[in-house]
Amino acid sequence: MSTATAPAAALSSAASAAGLTLSSIEPGTDFAGQPTTRATLALASDPSKILTLELSEAFDAADPRFTTEFTTFFTEAAERLRSPRPDVYLTLHGLPLSFGNFAWPFHASTSGADTFVVHGDIHLADGRDTQLHAKIAAALTQTFAETLVSREQPFAEGFIYNAVRKTLDQGQLELVKSGNRQPVPVTTRYYSVWKKRFSFNDTNEQQRHDYLAAKVFWLSHILGGGAPVWIADPRDAQYLNTTADELRATAKQLASEGFIALDGDRATATDALRSAEPKYRAEVEEALAFIKPTFNEDMRAGHTNM
């Protein structure tokens, strides 16, 4: 059995249970040139919606220890693929971001640091061709890595995306039209060993209310052509330090206020929400201003006592 086809049965079984089909599997190489297995999975109900999964060649996808994680990963992925833009995630400051080109799996740092790194890109996805983006180098500390079940994509993608969002929330990443790769440190500060869970942003009910409204505005109205979006994504729940059930409750409140039309766990924008475009555009500009580096103008002009 070739290295490319070895995990096919295990992946196909887990994917099928989630409503996905394994459309191809082939050998690949990671950032460091090490062999990988690259699988392409498609949504069974819409084969145009695909997910790329890349695993280390030595990783045993059939190991029973990983069954639960694979089931969760594929089940959540299938739900996202039913949304019009499964690649887009929102930040608390209102920036819709497209995540892509993440070169899984992690590779050891080439700079001599004691970390594991994964590279990727984020792009501002506001429906306009701004070309604003950031090249990402998410670095996982050795200490944090030891707490993980695995460093492979299905086990790490969610918290890496949330760490990128959190770093933007803190104003420590800049969206530019060109530039070097920017670091995203991923440390144990994001994980409670005692509680066995990740922690990114403590949010209140109002913040979650505003977040979900903005998510439906951007992902359904602006980017999705009015198609419904998933409002109970566990990645959002993790990012907001809440639960999927609390997000559902918040969505019901938004529906009662007339901002969204709700059908189960999927929502579209109403006229009331669509009419708020100036507000959401202004939030994007404010967020971009917040993450833009500022300089001491006196020092720039040479007026310094140093």
Side-chain angles (χ1 to χ4, degrees), residues 76-129:
E76 293 179 5
E79 290 290 349
R80 287 188 200 98
L81 288 174
R82 293 184 180 98
S83 293
R85 287 295 302 270
D87 59 314
V88 175
Y89 297 80
L90 191 74
T91 72
L92 270 175
H93 288 173
L95 290 174
L97 301 171
S98 171
F99 286 67
N101 299 321
F102 275 74
W104 299 101
F106 284 94
H107 61 272
S109 172
T110 57
S111 66
D114 193 21
T115 56
F116 299 102
V117 181
V118 63
H119 290 170
D121 302 331
I122 57 173
H123 290 258
L124 178 64
D126 65 348
R128 297 174 175 172
D129 187 19

Side-chain angles (χ1 to χ4, degrees), residues 43-306:
L43 191 62
S45 59
D46 183 358
S48 68
K49 298 289 189 69
I50 62 172
L51 163 73
T52 300
L53 176 66
E54 191 153 15
L55 303 168
S56 302
E57 183 189 48
F59 180 75
D60 183 6
D63 190 322
R65 292 179 301 161
F66 305 133
T67 299
T68 299
E69 284 78 8
F70 267 110
T71 298
T72 299
F73 178 78
F74 286 137
T75 300
E76 293 179 5
E79 290 290 349
R80 287 188 200 98
L81 288 174
R82 293 184 180 98
S83 293
R85 287 295 302 270
D87 59 314
V88 175
Y89 297 80
L90 191 74
T91 72
L92 270 175
H93 288 173
L95 290 174
L97 301 171
S98 171
F99 286 67
N101 299 321
F102 275 74
W104 299 101
F106 284 94
H107 61 272
S109 172
T110 57
S111 66
D114 193 21
T115 56
F116 299 102
V117 181
V118 63
H119 290 170
D121 302 331
I122 57 173
H123 290 258
L124 178 64
D126 65 348
R128 297 174 175 172
D129 187 19
T130 63
Q131 299 181 25
L132 292 175
H133 69 283
K135 297 178 180 178
I136 300 298
L140 188 71
T141 64
Q142 288 274 2
T143 302
F144 194 6
E146 291 171 0
T147 70
L148 303 177
V149 175
S150 170
R151 296 191 303 273
E152 299 291 332
Q153 180 182 351
F155 309 88
E157 186 178 80
F159 72 75
I160 288 296
Y161 283 14
N162 283 342
V164 171
R165 287 197 275 183
K166 177 66 174 181
T167 306
L168 267 167
D169 294 336
Q170 297 171 322
Q172 295 175 359
L173 282 176
E174 185 184 10
L175 298 181
V176 294
K177 292 188 177 180
S178 64
N180 297 324
R181 204 166 290 280
Q182 301 178 57
V184 173
V186 187
T187 69
T188 50
R189 70 185 181 197
Y190 293 138
Y191 186 75
S192 170
V193 176
W194 177 59
K195 295 181 179 179
K196 301 295 184 184
R197 67 179 179 87
F198 290 90
S199 179
F200 290 96
N201 293 294
D202 289 326
T203 57
N204 57 38
E205 186 175 345
Q206 185 62 50
Q207 287 174 307
R208 294 190 290 273
H209 174 283
D210 295 345
Y211 177 91
L212 272 189
K215 174 177 177 174
V216 176
F217 172 81
W218 287 111
L219 274 65
S220 176
H221 172 49
I222 295 297
L223 301 175
V229 298
W230 190 26
I231 51 83
D233 190 335
R235 287 187 182 176
D236 286 342
Q238 182 188 84
Y239 173 61
L240 301 172
N241 284 5
T242 187
T243 65
D245 283 341
E246 285 184 339
L247 291 178
R248 292 185 181 99
T250 300
K252 289 179 180 177
Q253 180 63 34
L254 281 165
S256 71
E257 294 168 356
F259 291 112
I260 66 173
L262 196 58
D263 181 9
D265 279 355
R266 305 209 166 258
T268 55
T270 63
D271 286 343
L273 187 60
R274 289 191 289 268
S275 68
E277 182 166 352
K279 167 192 170 183
Y280 291 116
R281 294 287 178 191
E283 285 183 355
V284 167
E285 292 305 317
E286 290 171 6
L288 292 175
F290 170 71
I291 63 176
K292 184 176 181 179
T294 56
F295 302 92
N296 184 312
E297 295 301 325
D298 286 339
M299 291 185 67
R300 188 204 298 269
H303 304 304
T304 175
N305 59 4
M306 294 180 67

